[in-house]
Amino acid sequence: MPGPASTPPLPGETAALVTQVVDELTRRLTQDVPHPPADLADTAGDARRHALARLRVLRGVQQAVRRLEDQAAHAAAASGAGYPEIGQAMSMSRQGARRRWPGLITNNTPTPPSPEPRSL
C-alpha cells in the first residue's frame, strides 16, 4: 500500500483494491457458512445460505463506509472545504452534497452592519 507521502490512487484503482479487500473480508466472515459443494446434487440450500451471509456482511460494510464518509465530510468541512469540493470528492454535485449533509457548512463569519439611513 502506498505511504502517506504518495499521491492517492485513482478512483478506478481504489475501487479495484477495495473490492479485493472486501471480498477477502466477506470470505473470512462467512467461513462458518457452508460453501456450495462442487457437485450440485443438493446445493441449493447451502448456496442460498452462503449468498445471504455474504449479503449480510456486505450490508455491514456499506454501513461502515457510509459512517466513514460522514466523518470525512465533517473533517473536510471543519478544515474549510465547501459543498462544491466535498461534492466533487464524492462524485456528486454541490446540491447533492448539501442534501446528504445539510447544515454541514455554516457561515460563521460576522455579517457587516447595515448602513444607517441618512437623514436629509
Side-chain angles (χ1 to χ4, degrees), residues 6-87:
S6 66
T7 59
L10 297 172
E13 295 169 343
T14 300
L17 177 61
V18 170
T19 297
Q20 290 174 349
V21 171
V22 171
D23 188 46
E24 177 62 26
L25 176 67
T26 58
R27 272 195 227 116
R28 288 182 184 195
L29 293 177
T30 59
Q31 282 179 346
D32 295 339
V33 177
H35 293 268
D39 68 339
L40 299 176
D42 187 27
T43 62
D46 287 343
R48 182 174 50 250
R49 280 188 292 279
H50 183 70
L52 292 172
R54 284 181 56 89
L55 282 172
R56 284 190 293 276
V57 169
L58 291 169
R59 178 63 182 144
V61 168
Q62 189 178 44
Q63 290 170 338
V65 167
R66 185 86 170 189
R67 281 191 299 272
L68 292 171
E69 287 173 347
D70 291 347
Q71 290 171 4
H74 282 86
S79 64
Y83 282 119
E85 293 171 293
I86 293 170

Side-chain angles (χ1 to χ4, degrees), residues 1-2 15 19 31 33 36 48 51 58 64-65 70 72 81 93 96-97 100-101 105 108-111:
M1 198 170 238
T19 297
Q31 282 179 346
V33 177
R48 182 174 50 250
L58 291 169
V65 167
D70 291 347
S93 67
R100 167 107 185 250
W101 297 286
I105 310 298
N108 290 330
T109 58
T111 55

